[in-house]
Amino acid sequence: MCLSANGNDNKKFKGDDKMDGATSRVLHIRKLPGEVTETEVIALGLPFGKVTNILMLKGKNQAFLELATEEAAITMVNYYSAVTPHLRNQPIYIQYSNHKELKTDNTLNQRAQAVLQAVTAVQASNAPISGTTVSESAVTPAQSPVLRIIIDNMYYPVTLDVLHQIFSKFGAVLKIITFTKNNQFQALLQFGDPVNAQQAKQALDGQNIYNACCTLRIDFSKLVNLNVKYNNDKSRDYTRPDLPSGDGQPTLDPAIAAAFAKETSLLAVPGALSPLAIPNAAAAAAAAAAGRVGMPGVSAGGNTVLLVSNLNEEMVTPQSLFTLFGVYGDVQRVKILYNKKDSALIQMADGNQSQLAMSHLNGQKMYGKIIRVTLSKHQTVQLPREGLDDQGLTKDFGNSPLHRFKKPGSKNFQNIFPPSATLHLSNIPPSVAEEDLRTLFANTGGTVKAFKFFQDHKMALLQMSTVEEAIQALIDLHNYNLGESHHLRVSFSKSTI
């Protein structure tokens, strides 16, 4: 069936509400704002493939858009079912049309055809065309629709949703994969069109997502298409809402891993620029993370209590949890649950610290078990009633001298890294030699692979053979008394030796 438009035909459209689910390369777009142009409607389809025809029904605030292939139309409908399309800040609705193709009367539809030809020419050559309504969108050719994004100074967690929110201002974001490499949070993000990737790179490279932190460093990837296997908090394909969620730890495609090995970063770190306009940025991150762990009811800014489960109940103590979680914030209270000793509640000083601890420690190994960290529905951790012995399962660390982040602007804020096999040691007295430290760390049950003093011998890097061994060593030896009133300070390092 084809749809023809001529002078008197427009009266026949009663909308094209289609419920039988058959696909078509013609899409029916409804609820368009009154003053919207052909160019804007065509732009909705461009990221997904060539647009071959358009018919605007101005009086009805509707349009029909024909794409070159049915696949392109399916991808477009799938994408916009996951991400609501907006024109001029108004949500619009897209569905398959009953019609298999558009036949338009060219004299009547001349303006639309002219715009379509101009846009197609721009897409084909990426060269500016003077005198058309779309010349301003023509940009010099970009290498790839895929951007490689590294986030520096990541004091707050940056979720996949936050990235989508920032980058989709520049065009349809089709796929995102996030991962940690060389102890840095990185992402691959695929636009529908290289032009959008170019514009996003120009606008965002060097910008901070939040005030004075989370700096974006952006380059083109050598990949031109991402292969996303799972839709979860690490990766998402917005064109395929049907993908499984996997186990939350998608493995990087071997081809992608190989491409990364080649893409060594040559980017200089730009100076701090103004933060991107995300409304209440930390709250946005918190909300995204709260949504990610399946607790949409959690208030965004403030949830300070974490629930940690799958702990090794033979080994775990409030002190060991205080030490490990204290790397990411000031732990106020710890309660190991009396009836379920493989779970604990941990209260941090503020919501950002609980987000940081959750994003860095969920899925890590502690005492041989992979721990799970989520936000708790509790607002505080209750202390046991006076005179009640709870076998030391609850501990108040509110006045601990070991809090790392008490001082505002402390250097420790700049040295928050994910758990890694390499540890940063500081506060080492002059009398302690490399051999002493190697022996001390080997006694925690792991293997010391490498060691390096800094020039002044007050600090050093020490590498264990696995991240799990390094976590164990940090729990055992942070604040260890080395004599001469020096207590050893241990944290994770982003360096390797």
Side-chain angles (χ1 to χ4, degrees):
M1 170 170 31
C2 71
L3 171 65
S4 62
N6 53 43
N8 35 17
D9 231 284
N10 277 1
K11 300 186 185 67
K12 289 182 194 163
F13 291 118
K14 292 277 189 292
D16 198 30
D17 289 319
K18 179 170 186 62
M19 303 311 289
D20 61 5
T23 56
S24 161
R25 67 191 180 100
V26 178
L27 299 176
H28 180 208
I29 303 170
R30 296 178 296 128
K31 300 268 173 85
L32 290 169
E35 63 287 3
V36 80
T37 64
E38 281 91 347
T39 310
E40 290 169 280
V41 176
I42 291 168
L44 289 168
L46 285 180
F48 306 96
K50 189 170 179 221
V51 175
T52 47
N53 211 341
I54 180 174
L55 173 65
M56 298 282 282
L57 306 180
K58 283 277 177 40
K60 293 201 179 305
N61 299 78
Q62 298 182 14
F64 289 90
L65 196 67
E66 180 189 273
L67 280 86
T69 66
E70 206 165 291
E71 270 110 22
I74 292 169
T75 304
M76 179 170 162
V77 169
N78 282 346
Y79 176 79
Y80 287 127
S81 66
V83 179
T84 307
H86 284 74
L87 282 180
R88 306 202 175 201
N89 293 326
Q90 228 177 280
I92 58 168
Y93 299 90
I94 298 177
Q95 62 196 67
Y96 300 113
S97 163
N98 290 317
H99 306 286
K100 292 297 180 199
E101 60 175 328
L102 283 180
K103 285 254 174 65
T104 50
D105 177 330
N106 277 355
T107 51
L108 199 93
N109 209 24
Q110 237 165 3
R111 181 186 145 75
Q113 294 302 315
V115 171
L116 197 58
Q117 279 169 351
V119 173
T120 312
V122 171
Q123 248 206 331
S125 65
N126 270 344
I129 300 173
S130 57
T132 74
T133 46
V134 289
S135 57
E136 65 272 4
S137 68
V139 185
T140 50
Q143 290 128 311
S144 160
V146 179
L147 294 176
R148 176 166 169 267
I149 302 156
I150 295 177
I151 297 184
D152 275 333
N153 303 333
M154 187 159 140
Y155 307 156
Y156 298 132
V158 174
T159 62
L160 190 135
D161 298 318
V162 167
L163 289 174
H164 186 268
Q165 191 181 343
I166 296 166
F167 282 85
S168 54
K169 292 187 169 81
F170 298 89
V173 174
L174 304 191
K175 302 171 189 177
I176 307 178
I177 296 174
T178 64
F179 53 96
T180 302
K181 177 170 184 276
N182 301 337
N183 285 335
Q184 276 188 308
F185 180 81
Q186 304 194 15
L188 287 170
L189 183 143
Q190 181 175 341
F191 278 103
D193 188 323
V195 172
N196 301 137
Q198 172 98 352
Q199 289 164 337
K201 179 181 183 299
Q202 280 173 340
L204 298 176
D205 190 21
Q207 295 279 5
N208 292 330
I209 299 178
Y210 306 139
N211 234 339
C213 72
C214 300
T215 310
L216 291 164
R217 290 163 54 201
I218 303 171
D219 212 347
F220 290 106
S221 170
K222 293 186 173 61
L223 301 162
V224 291
N225 187 36
L226 299 180
N227 178 19
V228 176
K229 296 194 172 90
Y230 303 112
N231 283 340
N232 53 34
D233 58 341
K234 300 274 197 314
S235 63
R236 203 164 299 160
D237 183 337
Y238 293 92
T239 69
R240 298 208 36 214
D242 56 311
L243 286 179
S245 66
D247 56 1
Q249 303 286 329
T251 46
L252 209 52
D253 192 274
I256 291 179
F260 269 116
K262 294 196 194 88
E263 281 190 42
T264 45
S265 172
L266 303 167
L267 299 170
V269 183
L273 295 161
S274 62
L276 296 167
I278 293 189
N280 191 351
R292 178 179 81 189
V293 294
M295 295 195 61
V298 173
S299 64
N303 204 308
T304 59
V305 180
L306 296 168
L307 172 65
V308 188
S309 53
N310 202 39
L311 292 163
N312 181 333
E313 54 188 274
E314 306 295 317
M315 307 283 289
V316 73
T317 62
Q319 184 65 47
S320 62
L321 290 168
F322 167 78
T323 305
L324 178 58
F325 280 74
V327 173
Y328 299 105
D330 293 339
V331 175
Q332 304 300 302
R333 293 175 178 178
V334 177
K335 181 195 252 335
I336 294 172
L337 303 184
Y338 189 79
N339 297 327
K340 200 172 178 339
K341 292 192 172 62
D342 68 346
S343 299
L345 294 173
I346 298 178
Q347 184 176 336
M348 308 296 284
D350 65 42
N352 288 329
Q353 293 181 4
S354 56
Q355 293 298 330
L356 270 177
M358 179 170 72
S359 62
H360 286 311
L361 294 175
N362 182 35
Q364 296 289 349
K365 254 187 174 178
M366 178 182 184
Y367 296 127
K369 297 192 77 170
I370 292 175
I371 63 171
R372 290 276 160 249
V373 185
T374 60
L375 291 173
S376 164
K377 58 180 184 294
H378 294 281
Q379 296 304 309
T380 58
V381 169
Q382 298 294 325
L383 294 174
R385 286 195 302 279
E386 282 296 315
L388 191 75
D389 175 23
D390 81 337
Q391 303 172 2
L393 295 176
T394 307
K395 205 155 182 327
D396 188 347
F397 294 97
N399 297 318
S400 169
L402 294 180
H403 286 157
R404 297 176 188 238
F405 305 103
K406 260 211 186 92
K407 291 193 199 112
S410 152
K411 265 227 178 87
N412 290 341
F413 280 109
Q414 293 161 38
N415 294 312
I416 295 175
F417 302 111
S420 64
T422 306
L423 296 167
H424 180 275
L425 316 182
S426 58
N427 207 28
I428 302 167
S431 60
V432 170
E434 174 177 339
E435 211 36 61
D436 302 326
L437 289 165
R438 279 178 172 269
T439 307
L440 184 64
F441 277 78
N443 285 343
T444 63
T447 308
V448 177
K449 301 268 292 211
F451 182 92
K452 188 173 100 187
F453 263 123
F454 284 72
Q455 272 178 321
D456 60 4
H457 271 231
K458 288 178 188 158
M459 295 194 287
L461 291 176
L462 180 142
Q463 190 175 338
M464 305 297 286
S465 61
T466 65
V467 175
E468 186 187 356
E469 287 180 7
I471 288 175
Q472 183 63 54
L474 180 140
I475 289 170
D476 290 351
L477 295 174
H478 178 62
N479 200 42
Y480 183 84
N481 187 349
L482 290 171
E484 303 173 46
S485 72
H486 281 66
H487 285 79
L488 182 65
R489 295 271 170 269
V490 185
S491 52
F492 298 112
S493 170
K494 67 170 179 181
S495 314
T496 46
I497 307 172

